[in-house]
């Protein structure tokens, strides 16, 4: 199988082929996901919640992101790997360049930043320096203290228009992918149709160009809480390999996410 690249993901959007991605944090799972057809993996700062047992992503350190990126790259040498820039690791463009370089040297193909138009100069600077960027709008877990909790974003018309406007600005600045988290399905569709870059949804409806879930959620490992937008694929398929394979198949054929996994406006 040819190595996945940004160009391949772009082509998938153009051809209407859905992109299936998951978070990964270690070599063994990265290897298994890749063998079952997952298109790309995100080394998420969600490791704070699901690996470290923290109640948010805010305490996750840069050194920890570098470490987990190295593990995932070892497990899947040919895979497309994206890594989160953790909380306050990109407060200034200069800081972003130095920290993103660490993630790229650890094995990432792309870095992900949370936030809107305040990131324009940073994104321009990163891409000029050869570091591909994925932007992230909607619910921003690193800003949970400002947002007042994990709530659906973009429900009011003005907020929805603003999210679309920021998405266009981020694309213009050079972002090559966009993650949309916890927004109404109609807004996910609107943004995906307006952009030329692929959109990857998590709780953003069925019309984004691809889907991403936290691995622990889609395996039903978080027994206390399963987000509305997630589904236990392990229970459905009975094995880890089967869970990843079923997830990819259902994203591809459009049966996931179904209506019950989506938010209305």
């Amino acid at each position: 199988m040819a190595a996945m690249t940004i160009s391949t993901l772009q082509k998938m959007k153009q051809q209407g082929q859905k992109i299936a991605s998951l978070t990964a944090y270690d070599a063994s799972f990265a290897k298994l996901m890749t063998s079952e057809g997952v298109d790309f993996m995100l080394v998420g700062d969600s490791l704070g919640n699901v690996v470290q047992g923290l109640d948010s992503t805010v305490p996750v350190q840069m050194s920890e992101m570098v470490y987990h990126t190295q593990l995932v790259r070892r497990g899947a040498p040919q895979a497309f790997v994206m890594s989160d820039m953790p909380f306050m690791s990109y407060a200034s463009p200069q800081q972003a360049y130095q920290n993103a370089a660490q993630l790229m040297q650890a094995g990432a193909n792309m870095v992900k930043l949370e936030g809107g138009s305040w990131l324009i100069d940073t994104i321009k600077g990163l891409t000029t320096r050869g570091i591909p960027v994925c932007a992230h709008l909607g619910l921003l877990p690193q800003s949970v203290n400002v947002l007042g909790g994990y709530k659906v974003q973009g429900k009011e018309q003005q907020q929805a228009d603003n999210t679309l406007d920021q998405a266009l600005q981020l694309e213009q600045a050079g972002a090559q992918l966009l993650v949309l988290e916890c927004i109404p399905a109609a807004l996910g569709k609107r943004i995906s149709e307006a952009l030329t870059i692929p959109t990857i949804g998590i709780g953003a409806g069925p019309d984004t160009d691809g889907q991403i879930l936290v691995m622990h959620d889609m395996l039903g490992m978080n027994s206390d809480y399963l987000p509305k937008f997630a589904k236990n694929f392990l229970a459905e398929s009975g094995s880890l390999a089967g869970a990843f394979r079923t997830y990819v198949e259902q994203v591809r054929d459009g049966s996931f996410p179904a209506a019950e996994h989506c938010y209305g406006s």
Side-chain angles (χ1 to χ4, degrees):
M1 194 174 89
M4 181 61 69
T5 64
I6 293 170
S7 306
T8 322
L9 295 170
Q10 184 72 53
K11 207 168 287 178
M12 289 174 77
K13 175 182 173 101
Q14 290 162 357
Q15 295 172 350
Q17 186 183 359
K18 295 289 186 183
I19 299 161
S21 55
L22 290 169
T23 65
Y25 313 96
D26 67 27
S28 301
F29 277 110
K31 184 177 182 180
L32 186 58
M33 284 178 191
T34 305
S35 70
E36 296 306 327
V38 173
D39 292 312
F40 76 84
M41 290 168 291
L42 167 66
V43 184
D45 59 0
S46 48
L47 69 88
N49 306 80
V50 297
V51 177
Q52 299 174 330
L54 301 167
D55 60 4
S56 84
T57 64
V58 171
V60 176
Q61 301 290 309
M62 190 67 213
S63 57
E64 294 165 340
M65 292 306 305
V66 167
Y67 171 72
H68 285 276
T69 299
Q70 290 169 335
L71 303 188
V72 169
R73 174 52 70 207
R74 271 179 226 146
Q78 302 304 314
F80 189 85
V81 175
M82 183 161 80
S83 293
D84 270 334
M85 300 273 288
F87 179 70
M88 289 299 281
S89 66
Y90 48 100
S92 69
Q94 205 57 45
Q95 190 188 23
Y97 306 154
Q98 290 165 352
N99 285 323
Q102 287 189 58
L103 290 173
M104 297 296 284
Q105 288 168 340
N109 300 102
M110 176 178 245
V111 298
K112 181 164 78 64
L113 318 176
E114 292 181 15
S117 44
W118 70 273
L119 282 171
I120 284 171
D121 289 344
T122 301
I123 291 171
K124 283 181 179 171
L126 284 167
T127 52
T128 302
R129 287 160 178 79
I131 297 175
V133 174
C134 175
H136 183 148
L137 290 172
L139 174 64
L140 307 176
Q142 291 176 11
S143 303
V144 67
N145 294 310
V146 175
L147 297 173
Y150 296 95
K151 301 173 181 173
V152 180
Q153 303 295 307
K155 290 179 88 166
E156 294 79 30
Q157 186 64 48
Q158 188 180 351
Q159 207 186 18
D161 293 345
N162 182 45
T163 305
L164 172 59
D165 183 47
Q166 296 208 42
L168 290 164
Q169 288 181 50
L170 294 168
E171 177 180 75
Q172 188 69 36
Q176 291 176 283
L177 275 180
L178 174 65
V179 167
L180 294 168
E181 180 166 0
C182 285
I183 60 171
L187 179 57
K189 183 175 196 285
R190 195 176 152 204
I191 293 172
S192 302
E193 289 174 348
L195 298 186
T196 59
I197 60 173
T199 57
I200 309 295
I202 176 165
D207 297 304
T208 51
D209 302 305
Q211 300 292 329
I212 189 163
L213 286 176
V214 172
M215 180 190 87
H216 295 65
D217 287 342
M218 61 85 66
L219 293 177
M221 290 168 70
N222 191 349
S223 52
D224 305 333
Y225 170 68
L226 186 68
K228 176 184 170 74
F229 54 74
K231 175 180 171 183
N232 185 340
F233 285 88
L234 181 58
E236 188 173 313
S237 58
S239 73
L240 289 172
F244 298 143
R245 190 164 57 250
T246 304
Y247 169 72
V248 171
E249 287 166 358
Q250 291 189 13
V251 170
R252 290 257 199 277
D253 67 20
S255 57
F256 179 83
E260 68 263 26
H261 307 118
C262 301
Y263 299 104
S265 52

